[in-house]
């Protein structure tokens, strides 16, 4: 199992002001809180499988006041430099409902 505790991730090809999310993990539980880049406050809570895949739920309040919630399955991929990329398949619920794919990559402490 991959240990995500203390790892930081940012959306791939994102604006440099995009939030960097610090992940925490205890046993198979994974969670994080994020702010910035158009997100007033967001959180995620999930479970990490033996292969490192994270099955999670998320909620966010965006800068424009929208409240969103959804589910994501994040599958790890190891990059040539050893960092982790999480390939996301997500679904957003409610009046802002949609589905899609995206990716986040591990960054250093300074967000690099």
């Amino acid at each position: 199992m991959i240990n995500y505790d203390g790892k930081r991730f940012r959306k791939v090809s994102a604006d440099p002001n995009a939030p960097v999310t610090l992940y925490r993990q205890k046993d198979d539980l994974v969670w994080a809180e994020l702010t910035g880049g158009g997100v007033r406050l967001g959180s995620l809570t999930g479970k990490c499988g033996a292969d490192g895949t994270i099955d999670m739920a998320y909620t966010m309040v965006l800068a424009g006041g929208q409240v969103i919630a959804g589910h994501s399955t994040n599958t790890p991929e190891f990059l040539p430099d050893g960092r982790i990329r999480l390939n996301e398949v997500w679904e957003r619920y409610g009046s802002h409902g949609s589905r899609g794919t995206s990716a986040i990559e591990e960054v250093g402490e300074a967000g690099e």
Side-chain angles (χ1 to χ4, degrees), residues 8 16-18 21 24-25 34 37 40 42 45-46 51 53 55 59 68-69 79 88 91 94-95 98-99 102-103 108:
R8 299 171 189 279
N17 295 323
T21 306
R24 294 296 183 196
Q25 182 172 354
L34 63 140
R40 288 178 58 196
T45 307
D51 65 352
T53 297
D55 187 35
T59 59
I68 61 171
L79 300 172
E88 305 175 310
E91 180 177 8
S95 61
S98 59
R99 293 177 184 206
S102 56

Side-chain angles (χ1 to χ4, degrees), residues 7-10 12 76-86 104-108 112:
K7 294 189 181 301
R8 299 171 189 279
F9 291 88
R10 181 183 330 181
V12 173
E77 168 188 353
F78 287 96
L79 300 172
D81 62 6
R83 294 178 304 128
I84 299 170
R85 170 183 265 195
L86 291 172
I104 59 174
E105 286 184 357
E106 185 177 357
V107 296
E112 307 166 347

Side-chain angles (χ1 to χ4, degrees), residues 54-58 70-74 87-91 93:
I54 304 171
D55 187 35
M56 71 172 73
Y58 63 87
H71 173 267
S72 180
T73 300
N74 296 6
N87 296 300
E88 305 175 310
V89 176
W90 52 267
E91 180 177 8
Y93 308 131

Side-chain angles (χ1 to χ4, degrees), residues 5 10 13 28-29 42 48 68 71-72 77 86 92 101 109:
D5 193 54
R10 181 183 330 181
S13 302
D28 63 344
L29 294 177
C48 183
I68 61 171
H71 173 267
S72 180
E77 168 188 353
L86 291 172
R92 186 176 293 170
T101 60
E109 286 189 34

